[in-house]
Amino acid sequence: MKRKISLIALTSCSGCISTLISLDFFPQYIERTMLSYSTFLSDFNNIDECDIAFIEGCVSEDVQIDLLKNIRKHSKKVYALGSCAAFGGVLSLSKTHEAKPISNFIEIDGYIPGCPPPSKLLGNCIIRLIENKDLELPIRNSCDTCPLRGNFELNSHISISRILPEPDEIIPLKERSECFLKDGILCLGPITRDGCEHTCIKHGIPCEGCMGPVSKDFTSNAVNFLSVITLSNKLQKYKGIFYRFSKPLLRW
Ligand code: SF4
Ligand code: SF4
């Protein structure tokens, strides 16, 4: 029997659902499922019973809490799709809006991280869920499979004097051969979950942490990382960069 799917967007840029819709196998995915509710792809306005609900975006308005509870009530499984839904995401850095992960309001069955989730990881996750299997996410940090790692180990003190791209700088698309941290450039690979296939790193941009923390213990991972690096005075004002995608998790 076809599994019934709902796709819901809260406060978001639509990047996660757009990535899902753009997957090569999305047409086959649609054939193997039945759409129950999606403001993007259908005219169904009622939240109906479904097997799997994917929710994109963070919670930034009270009205979304009722919607979430309604979805939870009607869905056998609920998954956060992307880092906004899973961790609060980039909007949580806003000084004027509050942004919270959906798990602050309802129980979820798992999350697919990334901003947006990398296509390969997303595709594999979706197939597993359609086949009624559990999600499988990488359990190591991004350094584990990084092509720049070489013999680099984060076990001695490192001075960080640069971030890339520098504020107001055009993103430099150039390949590197050595670990960013080794050159004193901030890279969040050590505290970020693996699975993105290092697209940014391959284009000369250090990891910004969009895959979120490896474990729920984000605060202690971040503190451990901060204990082995020193930020130059010039960079002190950019501390928000450490939790760009995961600020609400600091309060877990
Ligand atoms: S996780 Fe990223 S891509 Fe997805 S909705 Fe949030 S900002 Fe957009
Ligand atoms: S710190 Fe960054 S560049 Fe270095 S190995 Fe880890 S992910 Fe790769």
Side-chain angles (χ1 to χ4, degrees):
M1 201 164 71
K2 288 188 174 184
R3 290 167 70 71
K4 284 173 112 182
I5 308 287
S6 293
L7 296 175
I8 298 105
L10 303 178
T11 304
S12 68
C13 75
S14 311
C16 293
I17 290 183
S18 301
T19 303
L20 175 60
I21 294 170
S22 311
L23 291 176
D24 285 347
F25 75 97
F26 189 71
Q28 290 100 298
Y29 160 65
I30 284 289
E31 274 172 24
R32 292 175 65 181
T33 58
M34 255 173 70
L35 208 51
S36 169
Y37 175 83
S38 165
T39 45
F40 281 80
L41 299 174
S42 75
D43 296 330
F44 312 141
N45 288 323
N46 293 331
I47 296 186
D48 220 342
E49 302 294 322
C50 76
D51 294 300
I52 308 172
F54 293 106
I55 302 180
E56 168 197 83
C58 60
V59 181
S60 65
E61 297 172 37
D62 288 346
V63 66
Q64 293 168 328
I65 301 170
D66 292 336
L67 174 66
L68 272 182
K69 289 183 177 163
N70 198 9
I71 292 161
R72 179 69 270 187
K73 199 167 127 196
H74 289 88
S75 314
K76 288 184 189 151
K77 302 266 182 182
V78 175
Y79 294 92
L81 177 61
S83 292
C84 287
F87 317 126
V90 284
L91 189 70
S92 56
L93 290 179
S94 161
K95 291 197 168 78
T96 52
H97 287 77
E98 240 196 332
K100 293 181 178 160
I102 61 172
S103 58
N104 278 25
F105 304 97
I106 56 167
E107 199 175 314
I108 62 170
D109 297 279
Y111 60 81
I112 306 174
C115 181
S119 302
K120 195 168 166 195
L121 179 87
L122 178 58
N124 288 340
C125 288
I126 299 287
I127 289 170
R128 287 188 69 83
L129 295 178
I130 291 177
E131 293 176 348
N132 213 9
K133 296 176 183 159
D134 288 336
L135 277 184
E136 262 185 5
L137 297 178
I139 53 168
R140 309 292 292 266
N141 68 17
S142 188
C143 301
D144 195 48
T145 56
C146 177
L148 303 187
R149 179 166 180 173
N151 57 6
F152 175 71
E153 294 293 339
L154 186 62
N155 51 17
S156 57
H157 211 88
I158 293 170
S159 293
I160 303 290
S161 56
R162 291 178 68 201
I163 55 174
L164 277 182
E166 302 268 6
D168 303 324
E169 183 190 20
I170 294 172
I171 295 176
L173 291 179
K174 51 182 184 206
E175 288 181 22
R176 291 179 57 83
S177 55
E178 279 218 305
C179 170
F180 288 99
L181 288 178
K182 241 178 163 178
D183 278 349
I185 300 168
L186 184 64
C187 179
L188 297 189
I191 52 170
T192 301
R193 191 188 289 275
D194 201 9
C196 66
E197 296 175 53
H198 306 97
T199 310
C200 301
I201 281 173
K202 285 175 188 160
H203 287 88
I205 304 166
C207 175
E208 297 179 340
C210 80
M211 289 287 286
V214 186
S215 70
K216 242 188 160 190
D217 206 359
F218 177 55
T219 312
S220 60
N221 285 348
V223 169
N224 285 343
F225 183 52
L226 286 167
S227 71
V228 289
I229 64 169
T230 309
L231 280 185
S232 70
N233 285 344
K234 189 181 88 170
L235 298 187
Q236 295 288 333
K237 60 182 172 183
Y238 299 116
K239 278 186 180 153
I241 206 166
F242 287 94
Y243 46 77
R244 184 184 296 185
F245 300 91
S246 320
K247 187 178 174 195
L249 299 193
L250 294 173
R251 294 194 287 268
W252 266 3

